[in-house]
Amino acid sequence: MTGTFSSLNTALSALRYQRVAMDVASNNIANLSSEGYVRRRAEAQALGAPEQIAMWSRYDGVGDGVSSASVTRLADPLLDARARREHGTQSYLDTRVAVLSRLESGVGEPGASGVSAALADFRNSWQDLQTHPEQGASRSQVLATGRALAQAINGQASNVDSELAEQRSHLLDLVSQINSAASSLAAVNRSIADANGGGLDDSDLRDQRDVLAMRLSELTGSEAKARPDGGVDVLVGGVPLVVGQTAGTFTITGGVAPDGTSDGAPLSFAVVGSAGSTAVSPAAVGGEAGATSELITTTLPGYRAGLDSVASLLADAVNALHTSGYDLNGNPGQAFFSYDPLNASGSLAVALTDPDDVAASSVPGGGLDTGVAEALGNAQVADEAYRRLVSGLGTEVASSRRLGDNQRLLTTQVDNAREQLVGVNIDEETTNLMAAQRAYEAASRVMSTMDSVLDTLINRTGLVR
Amino acid sequence: MSTLRVTQGMLVGRSLDSLQASYERLAAAQEQVSSGRRINRPSDSPTDTAVAMRVRASLKSVEQYTRNAQDGIGRLGTVDQALSDVTDELSRAREIAIAGANTAASSPESRAALATELEQIRGGLLDAANTTYLSRPVFGGVTAGTAAFDSAGNFVGVTGQITRQVGDTVKVRVDADGQAVFGDGATSIFADLDNLATALRAGNAAGIQTGLAAITARMSTVSTAHADVGGAYKRIEQAQSTIESQQLDLSSALSEVENVDIARASVNLNLQQMAYQAALASTARVMQPSLLDFLH
């Protein structure tokens, strides 16, 4: 239908739409670097003939202008899911590499001040004692190098212990981060459902939703499932943590006490929801929390156990030889090292205090025989075990680092693919802005042209000068 | 993967990532050059770390062997000197015994003079038998006391060998068995000389002959012991030269495993530096322009 004033309406609809287009472009530019922002596009739809033609109603117009049908958020849920998965794996590997590297730098091998050097010094001091059994200084030296060796092993043990304690308190911190992200996500889910019901634009809420889902994936390696109402459900290790507008509580049910100490039990997790508590297998948790729990459960205790076996191997072998000998006064040798079998590397210490108690002699009678000193000077009991331990740790760090580097390539690739779709390009937006500006100017011109046409029609028609 | 759209965010992200990676490589190259080491932590090369640790332990052992050998050489030198003195004293004792055996030609006074000289020789021998090295009697075995023989010629040491480790499997005895060299109590050289002096004073020809035979037999025992000491000395000297070459081999092996080839590392550092500068320059160039620079 073409009426006298319909062109004015067409121009008005164009002005309206171009205003929306300019708004969207400027919003895109404004959010160029906002985290999680997905670019929008103003969708235009030409207005024309009604979709259903009635019998007596004919449409003889050429179009009634434009309507700004909607603002589209250019996201791809599949790519988002893929990015979440890769980011979860990435943060798992990154956490692991960071902690292992820290542990490794505390080992100090190969070098002049590590346990390996202390073992060699200890051996050499026995040989010096063999050379000068008559000098009290060589006996004191044996005690001193023995103490240095014990301290070097204690030092590594306490390194591992403090790393374990740090990881335990880090895990507590992670759990509170997980729960705050989960409850925020549940709140956003609610807002999205409300906005949908009210017919409002929920793009910003969806941005927030994706940021939170990504954060949860990085923290726990969780999986997010889209809901029909626009929200997402989050599953950690297959157990629902966020369902629609309600969030469960991710809790540590054993292994780490609330004050960050170990409670002796194996590490276990559960999600506590309104329906009760559901256990989550620690092996099924990924991301930062998964890496931390694996470090607490397997990796760090494994290195600690290796260190313990080195310490007990050393102490047992030295003690066996030492107790077979006789000290300076001719008395049978006592144990040289003492340790607690439950915590060998942490409690290893030299049991002797008096240099005269060092049993260098293999025969009784207080002579200067040095049979035991000779045997101890040649005994390389713990060296091989310690070398294996260190090179095992090195291999683990190197392979984790390699995996992390490979994963980074993959993560970057997925991020780029996602960025291609959702990222804001200034050139593009500037062009859109200019196009909208020109279109707005043209629509204004239409308006004034129509005005002038109507002016002619209304004011001049029939007037004769 | 074909790139459909490139955005500013992508460029920024990529540039930051590659700048970071480039800077990391630069830091690694710089660490190698400044520390001079190829292995700064076990993960740099787990296998070579184990090798380096083993070589370091061997190097320490070899250093200890050097110290052991030096001590052994000193001790054996003392034993050698003591045994030379013993041989000299025994030769003089033998001359006196031969002179005294001519009983017909000698007056009781001259024989008494010979006996007195013999007693002095006995004193000299006792001193030699109690020779010490670092205040330990070298013929006293593993005794904690200060003497190997008392004035009556009884062995007061503790039987035992003193050995020095001068190689992974090389152990050398660095003392002489006092009882074997000098005998003990009634069967010792000291008792023999006492008996000879008594026989000389009494003009007992048979006693003098027995004494002469005992001294001659003792001389051959001492020279056997002396030869053993000489042999041990030689073995330690050989071990020392082995140790020296071993020390060189191990040091070069260690530096091969642990240390960087400085020339290569420096070239690598320069390369990484250039790469980093190039990354910076290209980032600066790519970041600047947008359509806005060309619109008016």
Side-chain angles (χ1 to χ4, degrees):
Chain A
M1 185 199 76
T2 51
T4 312
F5 297 103
S6 70
S7 291
L8 275 178
N9 271 328
T10 306
L12 180 61
S13 76
L15 288 178
R16 278 190 187 133
Y17 169 73
Q18 299 307 340
R19 278 279 303 281
V20 171
M22 281 188 282
D23 283 350
V24 168
S26 58
N27 194 39
N28 279 344
I29 292 172
N31 285 295
L32 182 65
S33 54
S34 303
E35 192 201 351
Y37 183 77
V38 174
R39 76 185 160 115
R40 329 268 203 251
R41 191 167 62 200
E43 303 288 358
Q45 195 180 6
L47 288 176
E51 283 167 15
Q52 287 179 331
I53 306 294
M55 185 170 289
W56 298 108
S57 143
R58 285 187 304 119
Y59 182 77
D60 54 359
V62 290
D64 282 337
V66 64
S67 89
S68 51
S70 62
V71 174
T72 311
R73 184 175 169 270
L74 291 162
D76 177 357
L78 286 176
L79 257 183
D80 287 350
R82 175 95 196 278
R84 278 195 291 272
R85 196 164 58 238
E86 302 305 349
H87 274 266
T89 314
Q90 184 73 58
S91 74
Y92 168 84
L93 288 168
D94 285 352
T95 309
R96 197 172 160 73
V97 168
V99 173
L100 283 176
S101 306
R102 211 158 45 221
L103 181 66
E104 185 194 26
S105 63
V107 169
E109 301 286 359
S113 52
V115 168
S116 184
L119 278 167
D121 285 343
F122 182 59
R123 262 202 308 281
N124 283 358
S125 72
W126 281 105
Q127 293 204 20
D128 275 337
L129 175 58
Q130 191 193 354
T131 315
H132 302 297
E134 73 284 353
Q135 294 176 3
S138 7
R139 286 170 196 274
S140 308
Q141 188 60 24
V142 165
L143 291 187
T145 55
R147 278 188 207 111
L149 173 58
Q151 278 162 9
I153 293 178
N154 295 160
Q156 280 208 20
S158 83
N159 260 355
V160 181
D161 288 349
S162 61
E163 192 61 60
L164 260 172
E166 200 169 299
Q167 289 310 311
R168 276 194 291 266
S169 59
H170 182 52
L171 189 62
L172 290 173
D173 179 41
L174 284 176
V175 165
S176 73
Q177 285 186 40
I178 291 167
N179 286 328
S180 97
S183 58
S184 304
L185 183 59
V188 170
N189 276 348
R190 177 192 302 273
S191 304
I192 291 177
D194 290 351
N196 273 345
L200 301 172
D201 177 38
D202 60 357
S203 297
D204 294 334
L205 292 169
R206 283 173 192 253
D207 286 352
Q208 278 184 42
R209 177 200 68 187
D210 286 352
V211 167
L212 287 167
M214 173 69 87
R215 181 83 197 111
L216 277 172
S217 289
E218 283 175 353
L219 286 169
T220 63
S222 62
E223 194 188 339
K225 281 187 174 162
R227 293 171 63 81
D229 64 3
V232 290
D233 292 343
V234 170
L235 293 95
V236 176
V239 177
L241 175 63
V242 178
V243 179
Q245 307 175 7
T246 55
T249 313
F250 191 75
T251 47
I252 301 171
T253 47
V256 180
D259 60 355
T261 55
S262 165
D263 66 3
L267 192 62
S268 55
F269 298 122
V271 171
V272 181
S274 52
S277 166
T278 316
V280 181
S281 155
V285 178
E288 213 173 330
T292 308
S293 90
E294 193 188 337
L295 285 164
I296 293 174
T297 324
T298 321
T299 316
L300 293 174
Y303 187 76
R304 186 69 158 75
L307 210 54
D308 280 346
S309 80
V310 167
S312 57
L313 196 66
L314 170 78
D316 290 346
V318 170
N319 286 348
L321 279 166
H322 197 257
T323 48
S324 76
Y326 299 89
D327 65 17
L328 191 59
N329 302 317
N331 301 319
Q334 308 153 27
F336 189 89
F337 285 116
S338 66
Y339 69 93
D340 170 8
L342 295 174
N343 176 18
S345 55
S347 62
L348 185 71
V350 174
L352 306 179
T353 48
D354 185 355
D356 288 356
D357 288 344
V358 172
S361 167
S362 56
V363 290
L368 291 181
D369 179 75
T370 52
V372 169
E374 183 187 328
L376 281 168
N378 283 316
Q380 300 207 6
V381 278
D383 293 54
E384 185 56 40
Y386 179 67
R387 275 198 289 271
R388 258 205 313 275
L389 183 67
V390 169
S391 100
L393 175 69
T395 311
E396 192 152 358
V397 177
S399 76
S400 301
R401 195 168 287 151
R402 243 189 327 272
L403 282 175
D405 288 349
N406 288 347
Q407 179 65 36
R408 182 153 301 113
L409 292 178
L410 196 60
T411 311
T412 312
Q413 195 199 23
V414 172
D415 278 351
N416 273 337
R418 196 168 165 271
E419 177 70 20
Q420 270 184 37
L421 184 66
V422 308
V424 176
N425 182 326
I426 298 179
D427 299 346
E428 223 173 69
E429 300 306 330
T430 313
T431 312
N432 286 345
L433 197 60
M434 273 166 41
Q437 186 191 358
R438 292 296 179 204
Y440 190 89
E441 284 169 11
S444 309
R445 174 56 60 90
V446 169
M447 187 90 61
S448 42
T449 307
M450 282 315 297
D451 185 39
S452 135
V453 166
L454 288 174
D455 181 47
T456 308
L457 182 68
I458 295 168
N459 293 332
R460 313 255 171 123
T461 309
L463 285 184
V464 180
R465 290 224 171 155
Chain B
M1 192 179 71
S2 66
T3 304
L4 305 169
R5 265 180 97 239
V6 179
T7 69
Q8 269 75 17
M10 220 155 134
L11 272 185
V12 170
R14 266 189 200 170
S15 303
L16 282 179
D17 279 354
S18 45
L19 278 182
Q20 184 64 35
S22 176
Y23 203 53
E24 255 172 45
R25 282 195 296 272
L26 182 61
Q30 200 271 337
E31 186 189 28
Q32 285 204 346
V33 171
S34 66
S35 70
R37 292 169 53 143
R38 198 166 64 80
I39 308 176
N40 285 297
R41 55 192 71 76
S43 62
D44 288 344
S45 171
T47 327
D48 285 349
T49 300
V51 173
M53 285 164 76
R54 196 171 295 130
V55 173
R56 274 175 177 273
S58 300
L59 207 52
K60 284 227 170 197
S61 301
V62 168
E63 277 164 18
Q64 184 62 40
Y65 295 153
T66 313
R67 282 212 293 280
N68 293 352
Q70 275 160 1
D71 177 80
I73 289 278
R75 196 173 285 270
L76 280 173
T78 309
V79 176
D80 183 61
Q81 186 56 47
L83 287 176
S84 298
D85 291 351
V86 168
T87 311
D88 289 351
E89 299 281 0
L90 284 178
S91 309
R92 275 182 59 213
R94 189 159 172 271
E95 281 163 23
I96 289 165
I98 290 168
N102 249 336
T103 43
S106 54
S107 62
E109 290 78 18
S110 63
R111 285 205 307 273
L114 287 175
T116 310
E117 198 182 344
L118 209 55
E119 276 157 4
Q120 277 169 4
I121 289 174
R122 180 189 184 277
L125 270 177
L126 192 62
D127 284 346
N130 282 327
T131 305
T132 57
Y133 179 77
L134 296 176
S135 72
R136 283 182 71 192
V138 291
F139 294 107
V142 294
T143 180
T146 53
F149 289 90
D150 64 8
S151 54
N154 293 316
F155 182 69
V156 294
V158 177
T159 313
Q161 294 190 359
I162 299 180
T163 55
R164 291 289 170 262
Q165 184 99 24
V166 290
D168 286 337
T169 52
V170 187
K171 225 164 53 167
V172 179
R173 183 171 184 183
V174 294
D175 67 340
D177 185 347
Q179 275 172 297
V181 174
F182 297 101
D184 186 10
T187 61
S188 72
I189 180 68
F190 308 108
D192 290 342
L193 290 180
D194 285 342
N195 293 339
L196 183 56
T198 314
L200 273 174
R201 285 211 173 84
N204 177 357
I208 295 172
Q209 283 302 332
T210 315
L212 185 59
I215 291 172
T216 313
R218 186 59 64 186
M219 281 178 82
S220 102
T221 313
V222 169
S223 82
T224 309
H226 208 160
D228 285 347
V229 168
Y233 200 95
K234 182 117 183 105
R235 280 177 67 198
I236 293 195
E237 279 186 335
Q238 276 170 352
Q240 269 183 321
S241 75
T242 312
I243 289 167
E244 269 170 33
S245 66
Q246 227 176 347
Q247 212 160 9
L248 273 178
D249 289 350
L250 286 171
S251 303
S252 69
L254 184 64
S255 98
E256 193 125 313
V257 172
E258 268 191 10
N259 294 359
V260 286
D261 175 351
I262 287 292
R264 178 187 280 188
S266 310
V267 169
N268 188 29
L269 178 62
N270 273 339
L271 203 69
Q272 297 301 345
Q273 213 163 0
M274 267 166 51
Y276 185 57
Q277 278 165 356
L280 281 178
S282 76
T283 305
R285 204 163 293 175
V286 163
M287 285 302 164
Q288 275 170 357
S290 79
L291 189 58
L292 295 172
D293 294 324
F294 302 98
L295 289 176
H296 298 288

